[in-house]
Amino acid sequence: MSVDVAVVGAGIAGLAAARTLADAGHKVRVFESLDRVGGRMATIRTAGYRIDTGAEQLAERGYESTWAFIRELGIDSSDAIPRLGAGISVWSGGRARAGVTRLSGLLTGAGLAFPARLDLMKMLLLSRSDFDPDRPEESPIGSRTLAELGDGRHRDLTEHLLQPVASGFFGWDPARSAAAPFLALLAAVGPSSTWRTYRDGMDTLARALARGLDVRTSCQVRRVLTEPDGVRVVTTTGETTARAVVLCVPAPVALALHPGATERERAFLSACSFTPVVKVSFRLDRPLGPPGRPASVVLVPGVADGTVSTIMADHVKAPDRVPAGAGLVTVMARPAVVPDLLEASDESVVQTVGAAAERYVPGLAGATVGTLVHRFRHGLPEATPAALRLRRGFEQGLGGAVDYAGDWVQLRPSSEGAVRTGRRAARRVLSRLAARVGSVR
C-alpha cells in the first residue's frame, strides 16, 4: 500500500481525522483540490486585511472537540481567540437591534413584539431539554421544519428571528429545513456573548492541524474504488492505494466519488442536500456599519430585503483584522438569489449585493477600496426532514474501508460538527486496522 489511510478533503473534518490517525502512528496522506487547507474555514490576507471567506466564529460552549484540539495545539489563549468585539443584532424598524441571541432580548425586545417574546421564551425552554446535537433525530419535535415550528406562534418569531438566524448563519430555507438540529445547535452553543473568533483568521486551527501532515493541495480526487485488498484513490496526478479512506467532502461530492457506496450510504448521501453560499467582502478606507449599537453581525429578515441576508463588520468582530483607521464589511446574499449569483461575474455580484447593502451600511460604495467575492456551491449541510430520518441508520453503518466525516454526518453545520466527526471516523479506522492486523496474526 502507498499509505495506511488516505483522507480526501483538507477541511477541518479531514485535518482532524488525519491528525488523529497520524498521531496514532499511521502513514496518512491528505488530498485537497484547492491550493490551500481549511475548506470553509479559510482566510485571505491582502493589503493588511484578514478576510474570512466562510465560517466567522466559534463558541465557548458546545465545541468540546474543537477546544480539545485548540489546547493540544497550544493556541488556546484569550489573545489568540478573543470574544467577538460586539454582539449579534437583527434589522428591524430601520436600525440594527441588539440582543437577538441573548436572554436579554426577552426584556429589550430585539425587534420582537411582546407576544413573540413570550413564544421565544417557550421555545428557549423547549430547546433546553432532550436536544442532542449529535443525534438531532431523537429530539421531541421529530422532523418538523422550522416553518412548522413557527405555526401557531406570533409571526414575528418566524419572520424576525427563526428565518433570519437560519438563513443568516446557515443559508437555510425554514420551509425546507428541520427544526431539531437548529434548536439543538442553539442550545449547545449558548448566547452570543460567549462566542469567539480567531484573531489571526478562521484558518488558524486548520493551519495548525495541517502542520507536519502529508497534504497534497491542488490535487483533485476523481474516484475512490474499493478493491479486495484495500482502496484505490484515483487523482489528477496519479493513483494511491490505501488500507482505508476517509471521505471528508460534502455529501454530494462523496456520492459522486465513491460508486461502491452501500445502499444505506447512498440513500443518506442523496438526501443530505447543501445550500450554496455567496458572500462579498468590502475593504473600506474607514470603519462603517449599520446604524444602531455596534454589532459584529447584523441579520436582515427576508421580509425586509430580498437580496441581503447577513452583514458582518470584521473590524468590529476582532482586533487587527484591518489596517489602522480602515474597515471591513462582508455581506452574505439571501439564499433565494444565490443560485443566480453563483453563475454571475464578480463585477455583477458586487454590484447587486453592494447596491442592496448600501441601505444598511450608508456610504459603503464611497468607502470601498477593494472587493472579494466568495462562492461555495456546497456551503452548509441542510438538515431536511428526509436526511434527518435517515441519519441514524447511516451513522450506524459506518466503519467500512471507506468512511465519512464532515458536519453533514451529524447534520450539525459547524466546525465542531466537522471536528467531532473527523475524530470519530479516525477512531473507526483505527479499530478496523487493528482488527485486520489481528486477523493476519
Side-chain angles (χ1 to χ4, degrees):
M1 296 293 170
S2 305
V3 295
D4 295 323
V5 186
V7 175
V8 182
I12 292 298
L15 295 173
R19 172 56 59 193
T20 303
L21 290 162
D23 287 349
H26 289 282
K27 185 178 181 180
V28 184
R29 182 169 297 159
V30 184
F31 298 96
E32 172 55 52
S33 61
L34 300 177
D35 60 359
R36 54 163 177 76
V37 301
R40 289 165 291 155
M41 284 184 68
T43 304
I44 294 174
R45 295 164 178 84
T46 178
Y49 295 80
R50 293 188 180 95
I51 304 170
D52 293 330
T53 64
E56 299 281 348
Q57 64 272 318
L58 71 160
E60 293 176 7
R61 290 170 36 187
Y63 276 62
E64 294 83 4
S65 297
T66 302
W67 282 100
F69 262 136
I70 288 171
R71 287 189 292 271
E72 290 173 20
L73 296 167
I75 54 175
D76 58 334
S77 70
S78 58
D79 181 63
I81 313 179
R83 285 186 171 179
L84 298 186
I88 314 298
S89 297
V90 64
W91 186 268
S92 179
R95 64 182 178 91
R97 298 178 184 268
V100 64
T101 59
R102 303 174 66 171
L103 290 176
S104 61
L106 294 173
L107 300 175
T108 63
L112 299 177
F114 183 74
R117 279 180 264 169
L118 293 179
D119 284 335
L120 173 59
M121 181 172 63
K122 295 174 184 177
M123 190 185 73
L124 291 173
L125 291 174
L126 172 67
S127 66
R128 289 176 179 273
S129 62
D130 301 321
F131 278 85
D132 184 348
D134 288 346
R135 298 176 179 82
E137 68 279 355
E138 298 178 5
S139 78
I141 60 174
S143 58
R144 293 167 62 191
T145 65
L146 278 165
E148 290 169 341
L149 182 67
D151 288 345
R153 294 182 166 91
H154 194 279
R155 60 185 291 181
D156 273 8
L157 185 64
T158 296
E159 293 182 353
H160 292 277
L161 183 65
L162 297 180
Q163 181 275 321
V165 172
S167 296
F169 286 122
F170 307 145
W172 285 2
D173 179 350
R176 288 174 43 89
S177 306
F182 175 82
L183 291 181
L185 186 59
L186 290 185
V189 302
S192 61
S193 58
T194 65
W195 295 3
R196 294 177 177 267
T197 190
Y198 296 93
R199 184 181 188 125
D200 193 41
M202 288 297 291
D203 66 349
T204 297
L205 179 59
R207 289 185 289 115
L209 286 170
R211 198 170 296 125
L213 293 178
D214 178 4
V215 181
R216 308 293 173 91
T217 56
S218 300
C219 183
Q220 177 123 24
V221 173
R222 290 176 170 168
R223 278 288 185 272
V224 174
L225 305 170
T226 52
E227 298 181 342
D229 295 330
V231 186
R232 183 159 51 99
V233 181
V234 182
T235 77
T236 51
T237 59
E239 296 188 3
T240 295
T241 53
R243 301 184 190 280
V245 170
V246 185
L247 290 175
C248 304
V249 291
V253 178
L255 182 63
L257 290 180
H258 182 32
T262 67
E263 184 177 344
R264 178 182 289 183
E265 290 170 355
R266 296 186 71 83
F268 179 70
L269 291 171
S270 299
C272 190
S273 60
F274 273 64
T275 55
V277 171
V278 171
K279 299 165 63 176
V280 181
S281 293
F282 296 84
R283 293 189 290 116
L284 310 178
D285 62 12
R286 55 188 180 276
L288 296 177
R293 183 184 301 178
S296 297
V297 180
V298 176
L299 305 173
V300 181
V303 294
D305 196 286
T307 302
V308 173
S309 177
T310 314
I311 300 168
M312 281 77 70
D314 293 78
H315 56 276
V316 175
K317 184 178 73 174
D320 304 327
R321 287 302 186 94
V322 299
L328 177 61
V329 168
T330 298
V331 182
M332 183 172 170
R334 186 157 305 287
V337 303
V338 166
D340 291 335
L341 297 179
L342 280 174
E343 307 301 331
S345 66
D346 282 2
E347 182 181 3
S348 178
V349 172
V350 170
Q351 183 177 5
T352 299
V353 174
E358 188 79 25
R359 172 186 173 190
Y360 309 101
V361 187
L364 179 67
T368 298
V369 296
T371 58
L372 280 172
V373 177
H374 319 294
R375 293 177 173 87
F376 296 91
R377 290 191 176 275
H378 301 105
L380 286 164
E382 185 179 30
T384 62
L388 195 64
R389 287 190 289 268
L390 294 168
R391 199 209 71 82
R392 183 175 183 180
F394 169 79
E395 189 175 51
Q396 289 176 336
L398 296 179
V402 177
D403 213 311
Y404 304 86
D407 53 358
W408 56 271
V409 171
Q410 293 181 333
L411 299 179
R412 185 174 181 168
S414 65
S415 60
E416 173 64 13
V419 170
R420 192 173 293 236
T421 57
R423 282 206 167 195
R424 289 185 178 182
R427 293 185 187 116
R428 290 191 296 267
V429 170
L430 290 173
S431 296
R432 178 180 175 82
L433 296 180
R436 291 191 65 180
V437 170
S439 65
V440 171
R441 290 175 178 170

